[in-house]
Amino acid sequence: MAHRILVTGASVAGSTLAWWLAHLGHEVTVVERAPAFRDGGQNIDVRGVGREVLRRMGLDERALEQGTGETGTAWVDGDGRVVARFMTDELGGDGPTAEMEILRGDLARLLYEAARDSANFRFGDRVEHIQDDGDAAAVTFASGLTERYDAVVVAEGVGSTTRELAFPGESEPRWMDLTIAYFTIPRVADDDRLWRWYNATGGRSVSLRPDRKGTTRAMISVRQPPAGEQHWDVDRQKAFLRERFVDAGWQARRVLAGMDSTEDFYFDVLRQVRMPHWSKGRVGLTGDAAWCATPLAGIGTTLAITGAFVLAQELSRNRDVRAGFAAYERAMRPMVEQGQGVPKIAPKLANPKTRLGIRLLHGALRIASTRFVRRVFGTLFSRPPRAPDLSAYDGPTT
């Protein structure tokens, strides 16, 4: 049975969901508060079951062609000397750098352009109220429109406002004690095709990653308990980072100089989204709005793409959208819980506060990068997720 479905958020999850819902015969509208499609964003990767979903959409090879060209990951010291190196081709694509490394904006645009011919995208609007009367969900938009849908799916980010409208106070975040910023800076001649990671005392890190746009993607992070920094205005966030990183060493000053003029500054205090359920009546959640695992999990984009596919399939297999939401949650919970299982000690180990801690980290990475150990190290990134069996959706829908 075909449904009339609203998706909020033209995200990776939202556009993937829109494509599959339309492909399966539903009438789909995607509402996005931004006035136009948003490019930009940093490196993300897609692995395993997520790659299979892209292959089924005919987008796998195109995504590979638009990759960043990153060839591996190297930890460096304050003089830029490589302490440990993990090359993707030596790890079979299962190391810190995956075979499919792509900028978030490039993947999102690829998915959006694939979906927009069969789904209606409405930019510059947002949901202000949802009233589920049992027979349909009546949605009132900021533009003044009120429309009825068989289902509403929230596919927004970790701080989703629409989730709070439909599930007020139900998110119980798990804070990861890591504050992080991403932005783009000018490329210099010494920038290579490696993801270069530098640790400074005080739980600070600076890393640089390549792209194919003539620029370099920078990330800086500091390990500390959350104090509401995500709610500060941008000027205050940048001032905080300048103060904390001015003496960090390596290329920190270059990164801070680039931060002042960047056009795509993103700042967040990392936390997982923990929801007791992903649906209520005719309203459901997917992607980061449902389960943000944070970049520490290394599986966020794969979860978004896989979850969107499974949700579209289950809404197509069930006449009752509430039954479809329930089946989708049963299928995806194991994979999400595994992805969210990053221990709180992980940021501590990766971001030591003392020189001794950094030396110990570098020593462990140096050993892990040797020929006999690096395959074992690669399994940390290639551990098969408890993903849903996609072959269950190979048959006809009802």
Side-chain angles (χ1 to χ4, degrees):
M1 178 180 178
H3 300 300
R4 188 167 189 251
I5 300 174
L6 175 70
V7 178
T8 73
S11 59
V12 168
S15 292
T16 304
L17 178 62
W19 190 95
W20 280 105
L21 288 172
H23 180 74
L24 293 167
H26 303 283
E27 179 186 344
V28 187
T29 296
V30 181
V31 63
E32 166 60 53
R33 67 175 55 223
F37 177 81
R38 292 182 295 181
D39 281 306
Q42 300 297 308
N43 299 58
I44 56 177
D45 60 52
V46 187
R47 303 173 189 250
V49 66
R51 289 280 300 273
E52 172 60 17
V53 174
L54 291 180
R55 187 193 65 77
R56 294 187 181 202
M57 299 172 73
L59 299 177
D60 181 61
E61 291 300 320
R62 291 175 61 188
L64 282 172
E65 291 169 0
Q66 295 184 29
T68 63
E70 187 172 289
T71 57
T73 306
W75 273 261
V76 300
D77 63 17
D79 294 319
R81 292 187 295 259
V82 173
V83 174
R85 181 186 285 112
F86 300 88
M87 303 304 293
T88 301
D89 57 356
E90 295 174 354
L91 292 169
D94 291 327
T97 294
E99 180 186 22
M100 184 180 286
E101 292 283 345
I102 185 171
L103 297 178
R104 187 215 65 84
D106 289 346
L107 179 60
R109 179 169 287 280
L110 189 66
L111 293 163
Y112 160 65
E113 291 180 347
R116 66 182 177 182
D117 290 336
S118 52
N120 174 38
F121 282 76
R122 183 190 302 164
F123 291 95
D125 206 353
R126 67 181 188 279
V127 173
E128 284 202 337
H129 183 69
I130 303 174
Q131 179 63 49
D132 186 347
D133 61 16
D135 295 325
V139 180
T140 302
F141 297 91
S143 61
L145 289 174
T146 297
E147 298 176 337
R148 292 172 65 82
Y149 297 92
D150 297 309
V152 177
V153 181
V154 182
E156 301 173 2
V158 60
S160 169
T161 56
T162 312
R163 179 190 63 219
E164 292 307 306
L165 284 175
F167 303 81
E170 294 189 27
S171 174
E172 297 182 358
R174 180 192 182 210
W175 298 94
M176 303 306 292
D177 296 340
L178 197 66
T179 298
I180 195 165
Y182 301 94
F183 45 93
T184 303
I185 64 174
R187 178 178 172 82
V188 298
D190 289 341
D191 290 342
D192 54 23
R193 308 313 300 175
L194 290 172
W195 175 9
R196 291 179 292 162
W197 187 305
Y198 166 71
N199 290 97
T201 56
R204 298 170 294 175
S205 73
V206 179
S207 71
L208 300 174
R209 306 187 74 171
D211 64 25
R212 285 180 169 160
K213 300 180 183 295
T215 53
T216 293
R217 308 289 160 149
M219 179 188 76
I220 54 180
S221 66
V222 57
R223 178 164 64 88
Q224 63 179 31
E229 294 90 346
Q230 72 274 16
H231 299 305
W232 295 351
D233 62 44
V234 171
D235 288 342
R236 186 178 178 187
Q237 290 170 347
K238 288 185 176 181
F240 163 78
L241 294 173
R242 279 192 291 271
E243 180 182 352
R244 294 300 299 268
F245 283 86
V246 67
D247 63 346
W250 189 48
Q251 299 200 32
R253 290 182 180 271
R254 170 199 168 192
V255 170
L256 293 176
M259 180 183 71
D260 288 336
S261 59
T262 190
E263 297 181 354
D264 61 351
F265 180 76
Y266 176 81
F267 180 103
D268 199 15
V269 180
L270 296 192
R271 72 273 196 196
Q272 295 179 346
V273 172
R274 298 291 185 97
M275 295 290 294
H277 44 257
W278 299 338
S279 66
K280 183 185 297 182
R282 293 181 176 272
V283 182
L285 303 170
T286 197
D288 280 353
W291 57 60
C292 179
T294 78
L296 298 174
I299 198 174
T301 308
T302 299
L303 281 173
I305 291 171
T306 307
F309 169 80
V310 171
L311 177 53
Q313 295 288 340
E314 293 295 352
L315 288 176
S316 300
R317 291 157 69 99
N318 291 274
R319 289 181 177 273
D320 184 348
V321 298
R322 288 156 291 208
F325 281 136
Y328 144 76
E329 183 164 348
R330 287 194 298 270
M332 285 299 300
R333 273 285 181 186
M335 185 179 182
V336 168
E337 289 178 354
Q338 183 185 47
Q340 290 187 327
V342 179
K344 288 291 287 285
I345 197 175
K348 295 181 180 180
L349 295 176
N351 299 275
K353 291 202 169 186
T354 66
R355 288 186 174 85
L356 175 59
I358 294 171
R359 286 198 296 270
L360 291 173
L361 171 66
H362 285 177
L365 290 169
R366 190 178 293 110
I367 293 171
S369 66
T370 61
R371 176 179 299 180
F372 299 105
V373 181
R374 63 189 175 207
R375 284 287 179 183
V376 177
F377 183 80
T379 64
L380 297 175
F381 296 88
S382 62
R383 183 166 53 114
R386 292 185 289 177
D389 180 7
L390 299 194
S391 67
Y393 303 110
D394 287 343
T397 58
T398 58

